Amino acid sequence: MDSVVFGQYLPGNSFMHRLDPRLKIAGLIALLILVFFDAGFLGYAIIGLYVIACLISSKMPAKRVVKAMKPMLFMIAFLAIFNLLLLKTGHVIFKFGFLKIYSGAVSQTFYIIVRLVLIISLTTILTATTKPLDLTLGLEHLMKPLKKVGFPTHEVAMMISIALRFIPTLLEETQRIMKAQASRGVDFNEGSFKEKIAAIISLIIPLFISAFQRAEDLANAMESRNYIPGAPRTRYHELKWRSADTFALISVMALCACIITMSILR
């Protein structure tokens, strides 16, 4: 849990920090879609260089992105082994007894790993360089056209922002409960499978109780400040589009055009 950095804002004044949150959210969605285009090794290399440029412009230490990937290492390893052993496309490049590894399985495994790394890196950069309040404003502005069909854009944006805001809080609460349980003799690492399940249940129940209590406290605090969902609201902080946002938008559009063209020509 110490490795979970998703949802944690990293204060700073870098180029990425100053970009409009609407651009960052829309750019993230575009890049996440772009990751699944079959543009070959060269295409993924171009996307990777773009992500590295975003990381450098955010002045965020690379070890933070590496730390964000640690919780996903098991999934990455599982998917890699699963694909290598079960996919049988292309020609055989390795054979040991009944075990055969095909070239198509290797390339597909490479694509999966690269896609996961890029997705984790992009989402980490977004949450680390964008304040929760700015995320709420950006999401609400991007979903504004849905208001015409009665979609509660402000409420949905608020819920997403609150969820991101409370990820670090819930992780800290989990660690606190684990330490309290360990001081009472609960061992989360040793024992039989049944004992481990019982230990996890003893962790989950108080965590849920604490989460519901925090949710109720937050709801009471919002009501005491006269928060009314759907009511017209004025804002002290307004989003402003700058020339740097236009430059970043052009770069995202150029990258999208490049990757889509490469995937079509393959």
Side-chain angles (χ1 to χ4, degrees), residues 26 53 86 104 126 133 156 158 162 180-181 190-191 193 218 227 229 246:
L86 296 184
L126 173 69
L133 178 60
V156 171
M158 178 67 72
I162 291 173
Q181 296 285 3
E190 302 296 334
F193 180 75
L218 178 61
Y227 175 78
T246 303

Side-chain angles (χ1 to χ4, degrees), residues 97-125:
F98 68 91
L99 180 64
K100 295 180 181 179
I101 296 179
Y102 293 78
S103 58
V106 174
S107 61
Q108 186 66 24
T109 302
F110 171 80
Y111 287 152
I112 290 175
I113 294 175
V114 170
R115 285 167 181 166
L116 286 173
V117 170
L118 292 175
I119 289 171
I120 296 170
S121 301
L122 289 168
T123 52
T124 303
I125 292 172

Side-chain angles (χ1 to χ4, degrees), residues 137-152:
L137 293 177
L139 286 170
E140 187 175 354
H141 277 79
L142 290 175
M143 294 189 296
K144 188 173 289 185
L146 297 177
K147 277 188 175 181
K148 296 180 179 179
V149 295
F151 187 79

